[in-house]
Amino acid sequence: GRAMKIVYNDDSLKEYIDQALFISEKYPLLIDRFLETAVEFDIDALADSTDCVISGIMQHVEAAGIHSGDSTSILPYHNISKQAIAAMKEYTRMLAKSLNVIGLMNVQYAVQNDTVYVIEVNPRASRTVPFVGKATAIPVVKIATRVMLGEKLCDLRNEYNLKDCDELGMKHMAIKEPVFPFSKFVKSGVYLGPEMRSTGEAMSLANDFPEAFAKAYQAANMQLPLSGAVFISVNDQDKNHRMLAIARSLYDMDFDLVATAGTWQFLTDNGIECKKVYKVGEEGRPNIFDSIKHGKVDFVINTPRGEKALHDEEAIGAASVLSNVPFVTTIEAAEASVQAIGCIRHQEFGVK
């Protein structure tokens, strides 16, 4: 994802080319159409010249457009059609055969309205292989090594009871959660995009998604609040039924809601009680930066729109990091966080 950017208009494209790139025949510029609001998947596979096993089908919590290394991945997948899963498995086998893969392979897909798009294919091991091996208890690396040394996958199927991961009948949910260095690099910005920012990852196992997500957050040193004030500021596209459901859930759990003007209007128009706060650039104090800095906010939901976070959003992110306030920057992460908070409030965690 290095030097990759999502641009929304001609002016942004021109600005990006003027500032960031030296373009020549040696250094060409690749332009793709960006699939907004698509669901992204990582698929790991083991293959030889005649056989292919789908060892992992990981669904990203965040929509496509976030670097796969920065996305929260869940295994097994949920809320996706059987047709889309079947298509991804078929495409993976076709790619493995066409590329003559011997060993490991990773494919990234985007699914939009049940149409499956191939983002990229890597005929090698990926960063998800250790996660898949631990989540499924299948020694993926050992099997791949034996295949690369000449053994046949069909012979190893019986020895390891090898099946596609969605046929293993997993009774638990596994989550891979990225760990970010924002506290060390406050001025670098905290908003996720095509460039990878994470410097590590944590993993959790649980019986269901809310508990697994809560554990993953805690393992990644993000302590979700059980009470207090939540600041919400979302872009116009995220002012929808999903955001309303998030806000209502938080309100029903007795959180105080705080929002900047646009989001405040949206929430109050839909019957959700909320307090209005000034943006950083607006006249009037205290503004949202002051509130976070002085400990008046316990959780931040801020979803910037477009390819560059505005001054206000950068200030919110910096204040959150400096004050050790947990924050999310996508609507998907906000939904998962609310489920996790509800889980922490109502059940004891065991060890799996």
Side-chain angles (χ1 to χ4, degrees), residues 145-280:
T145 304
R146 291 176 65 175
V147 169
M148 292 168 76
L149 290 171
E151 295 188 57
K152 285 292 180 187
L153 199 53
C154 60
D155 297 331
L156 297 173
R157 275 182 178 272
N158 294 329
E159 183 178 340
Y160 291 101
N161 193 27
L162 268 183
K163 301 175 184 174
D164 286 354
C165 68
D166 58 332
E167 297 170 6
L168 291 174
M170 287 175 62
K171 297 283 194 294
H172 60 270
M173 176 73 70
I175 292 186
K176 178 178 76 72
E177 179 70 24
V179 177
F180 297 99
F182 297 140
S183 60
K184 304 290 191 295
F185 303 99
V186 177
K187 293 183 179 179
S188 69
V190 299
Y191 297 99
L192 305 181
E195 286 200 348
M196 184 173 166
R197 298 287 189 84
S198 67
T199 50
E201 60 192 31
M203 176 181 172
S204 69
L205 296 174
N207 291 322
D208 54 37
F209 176 74
E211 182 183 348
F213 195 84
K215 285 181 174 179
Y217 251 33
Q218 290 176 350
N221 204 28
M222 269 272 254
Q223 299 301 323
L224 292 169
L226 302 185
S227 62
V230 178
F231 169 71
I232 304 174
S233 179
V234 296
N235 65 65
D236 289 341
Q237 185 176 324
D238 287 338
K239 290 176 179 138
N240 54 31
H241 67 282
R242 294 174 73 184
M243 188 63 246
L244 287 176
I246 291 167
R248 283 201 180 96
S249 294
L250 289 166
Y251 185 78
D252 289 344
M253 287 190 282
D254 294 325
F255 281 93
D256 296 321
L257 304 185
V258 181
T260 46
T263 304
W264 173 84
Q265 191 71 57
F266 169 69
L267 294 176
T268 52
D269 285 350
N270 285 277
I272 299 174
E273 190 177 322
C274 185
K275 181 182 176 183
K276 185 159 65 172
V277 66
Y278 292 109
K279 290 183 178 181
V280 174

Side-chain angles (χ1 to χ4, degrees), residues 123-145:
R124 55 164 175 75
S126 73
R127 69 174 63 80
T128 51
V129 166
F131 170 67
V132 169
K134 291 170 186 174
T136 62
I138 301 294
V140 179
V141 176
K142 181 183 285 188
I143 296 166
T145 304

Side-chain angles (χ1 to χ4, degrees), residues 63-119:
I66 306 297
H67 192 287
S68 59
D70 287 355
S71 292
T72 300
S73 297
I74 61 175
L75 194 163
Y77 55 85
H78 69 165
N79 297 334
I80 192 76
S81 72
K82 291 181 180 179
Q83 291 86 347
I85 293 296
M88 286 188 280
K89 291 173 67 172
E90 180 188 356
Y91 296 168
T92 301
R93 290 191 163 91
M94 290 168 65
L95 287 163
K97 188 173 182 180
S98 298
L99 294 170
N100 194 30
V101 172
I102 309 295
L104 287 161
M105 182 179 78
N106 170 267
V107 192
Q108 292 171 25
Y109 294 98
V111 179
Q112 189 182 63
N113 301 324
D114 269 352
T115 301
V116 176
Y117 299 87
V118 179
I119 299 175

